[in-house]
Amino acid sequence: MTDSNSTDTGPRKGIYLLPNLLTTGGLFAGFFAIVSSMNGRFEAAAVAIFIAMIFDGLDGRVARLTNTQSEFGAQYDSMSDMLSFGVAPALVAYNWGLVDLGKFGWLAAFVFVACAALRLARFNANLSVTDGRFFQGLASPAAAAIIAGMVWTGSIYEINGDKIGYLVGLLTIVTGLLMVSNFRYHSFKDVNWRDRVSFLAILCVVLVFVVIAARPAEMLFGIFFIYACSGPVTTIRSVRKLKLEHVVGDTNDADFADELQERNDAVKVDEPDNEPQQ
């Protein structure tokens, strides 16, 4: 007979509130961007995508700090990213400057959505085998920031997106293709945020915030555009000879296995032999 007063020592079932609440905030911001663009409020739509980026940056860090990581949270975050950084930027760009271009317009938007989905799927599949210092392809939040920054800047200067529709479509397609490329982008995950820095470094950070606050649309668009261009430059500088697999290819080629293996072999050769002598 089972004792009714016995305690259950198994793992508790449920969903962690705080990190998933932040993920929901990012999902809401992405959905709000879509609705705003449908109503012609393109500046609000672009700002909402940047707000979604803030939530996306917080949920994972909060989960790690509070030890509330879960498989559900990881999958929920991917679904939220697909909407906020895949569907939302594509529809915002479409409603702003691609709607009058016919097939080219909606195909350009679809290319971005499809590339974002492929980028997220590849990232989740290769999470445990890639070099943590680099992203394989342009990260979807950075790609979304380029589209949002373009629309935000155009709205501020009262640029009619329909008049530069082909330029909008070209940038949308190229940004999408960068997501599924093998270009390596610095992830900045190796930066020690707990390390001490000089007073001058803090002053520079303050100045950067002041400049961004003065011209947020132009500065954010420029920063992420330069970051998007840094991937090809970083890749070309890190390989002896640029090959097709360094630009596009399967997962084995994308990890730059040859370069990583050579680096590991060099480290093993330089390590001293600490084994006790017989």
Side-chain angles (χ1 to χ4, degrees):
M1 184 173 181
T2 305
D3 186 4
S4 59
N5 294 328
S6 61
T7 59
D8 184 9
T9 59
R12 295 179 59 186
K13 295 183 179 179
I15 299 172
Y16 293 113
L17 177 62
L18 184 56
N20 291 293
L21 187 63
L22 294 172
T23 303
T24 304
L27 183 66
F28 175 81
F31 182 77
F32 179 81
I34 296 174
V35 175
S36 297
S37 69
M38 294 171 61
N39 295 326
R41 300 173 57 199
F42 297 110
E43 184 174 352
V47 173
I49 292 176
F50 282 105
I51 293 176
M53 291 179 59
I54 296 175
F55 281 111
D56 181 65
L58 288 176
D59 57 4
R61 286 170 174 79
V62 168
R64 288 188 291 271
L65 288 174
T66 57
N67 196 24
T68 53
Q69 305 100 314
S70 66
E71 183 63 24
F72 174 86
Q75 298 300 325
Y76 186 34
D77 182 67
S78 294
M79 298 300 103
S80 175
D81 289 351
M82 181 59 209
L83 179 86
S84 300
F85 308 130
V87 178
L91 290 180
V92 170
Y94 178 79
N95 291 325
W96 184 63
L98 302 176
V99 69
D100 292 335
L101 297 183
K103 289 184 178 181
F104 176 78
W106 64 263
L107 284 174
F110 174 74
V111 167
F112 187 92
V113 174
C115 290
L118 292 170
R119 169 69 174 80
L120 290 169
R122 185 176 67 176
F123 176 81
N124 292 336
N126 297 341
L127 188 61
S128 61
V129 297
T130 54
D131 189 349
R133 300 172 302 167
F134 297 96
F135 289 129
Q136 179 187 343
L138 182 63
S140 56
I146 294 175
I147 304 300
M150 172 187 63
V151 175
W152 191 1
T153 303
S155 299
I156 289 178
Y157 289 97
E158 298 182 352
I159 298 175
N160 189 348
D162 296 332
K163 294 182 178 180
I164 57 172
Y166 284 101
L167 181 61
V168 175
L170 181 62
L171 183 61
T172 302
I173 292 174
V174 171
T175 305
L177 294 177
L178 285 175
M179 283 191 284
V180 295
S181 70
N182 287 341
F183 291 132
R184 295 199 286 184
Y185 289 87
H186 284 285
S187 65
F188 303 104
K189 293 181 180 180
D190 55 345
V191 177
N192 187 3
W193 299 103
R194 299 182 179 180
D195 196 9
R196 292 177 179 269
V197 296
S198 64
F199 178 80
L200 181 61
I202 296 297
L203 181 60
C204 291
V205 171
V206 172
L207 293 177
V208 169
F209 276 107
V210 170
V211 173
I212 294 177
R215 292 283 187 176
E218 300 92 324
M219 290 301 301
L220 290 174
F221 175 65
I223 290 172
F224 284 101
F225 185 84
I226 293 173
Y227 178 70
C229 296
S230 69
V233 175
T234 301
T235 302
I236 293 173
R237 293 180 59 185
S238 61
V239 298
R240 297 176 182 176
K241 183 180 179 181
L242 186 65
K243 302 177 182 178
L244 179 62
E245 57 264 27
H246 294 143
V247 180
V248 62
D250 59 26
T251 53
N252 292 330
D253 295 329
D255 291 337
F256 293 74
D258 294 338
E259 288 79 3
L260 292 176
Q261 185 63 41
E262 290 178 2
R263 187 185 308 147
N264 293 334
D265 292 342
V267 171
K268 291 180 180 179
V269 170
D270 294 337
E271 288 180 350
D273 186 5
N274 295 326
E275 294 183 0
Q277 298 180 356
Q278 298 295 333

